[in-house]
Amino acid sequence: MPITINIWAVLAAAVVNMVVGYFWYRPLFGKMWKSLMGFTDESIKSMKLSQTQSMGLGFVTSLVTAYVLGYFVVLLNTTGLGGAWQLAFWIWLGFLATTTAGSFIWEGKPLKLFVLNVAGQLVALFLMAVVLVFWK
């Protein structure tokens, strides 16, 4: 049986991810993140990619994440808020948190940065799962 994924829900979930990222890394924890990364306003302006390019590529990765998450929502017949939470949590724990841990383990990034990043990922993934579960 083929899996049908609601593309509008995928687009909405991708936008949700971008919005969470914006608030997480700007007004809520932006100063902390910049400090933990060792960035200054000047160093951010001199990055290889422009802000527009970064946002565009970020949206592409958000679309991929939303589509794959939507695939699992349909495949596992995930329902309700509890189902969205369980799906988001296990994907986060098994893939995102463990992969992101490499920045602390291998790259010498601060533990506080790791916690900040994985917490944001969990919030975003859960809200994306909510959109996808309730808008199949």
Side-chain angles (χ1 to χ4, degrees):
M1 177 176 182
I3 291 182
T4 303
I5 301 165
N6 182 339
I7 195 65
W8 296 110
V10 167
L11 286 170
V15 169
V16 164
N17 189 40
M18 295 295 290
V19 169
V20 169
Y22 170 80
F23 281 102
W24 197 263
Y25 292 105
R26 290 285 179 115
L28 293 176
F29 303 108
K31 288 181 184 177
M32 179 191 303
W33 176 79
K34 277 192 339 186
S35 173
L36 291 168
M37 288 293 295
F39 289 156
T40 64
D41 291 337
E42 293 76 33
S43 67
I44 288 176
K45 289 177 186 173
S46 67
M47 290 185 161
K48 290 181 183 180
L49 297 178
S50 71
Q51 190 172 18
T52 303
Q53 291 169 321
S54 296
M55 294 297 285
L57 291 173
F59 188 67
V60 170
T61 63
S62 292
L63 281 171
V64 171
T65 301
Y67 186 85
V68 172
L69 187 59
Y71 183 88
F72 281 114
V73 164
V74 174
L75 181 70
L76 300 171
N77 194 27
T78 307
T79 58
L81 203 57
W85 169 252
Q86 281 191 329
L87 179 62
F89 175 79
W90 289 112
I91 288 175
W92 170 82
L93 182 64
F95 300 102
L96 297 177
T98 54
T99 302
T100 305
S103 67
F104 169 71
I105 297 168
W106 307 111
E107 298 172 7
K109 300 287 185 188
L111 178 61
K112 199 172 191 179
L113 179 63
F114 165 72
V115 172
L116 176 69
N117 287 334
V118 294
Q121 291 170 346
L122 180 58
V123 169
L125 199 63
F126 170 61
L127 293 176
M128 290 172 74
V130 168
V131 168
L132 293 160
V133 164
F134 286 99
W135 194 8
K136 286 185 195 174

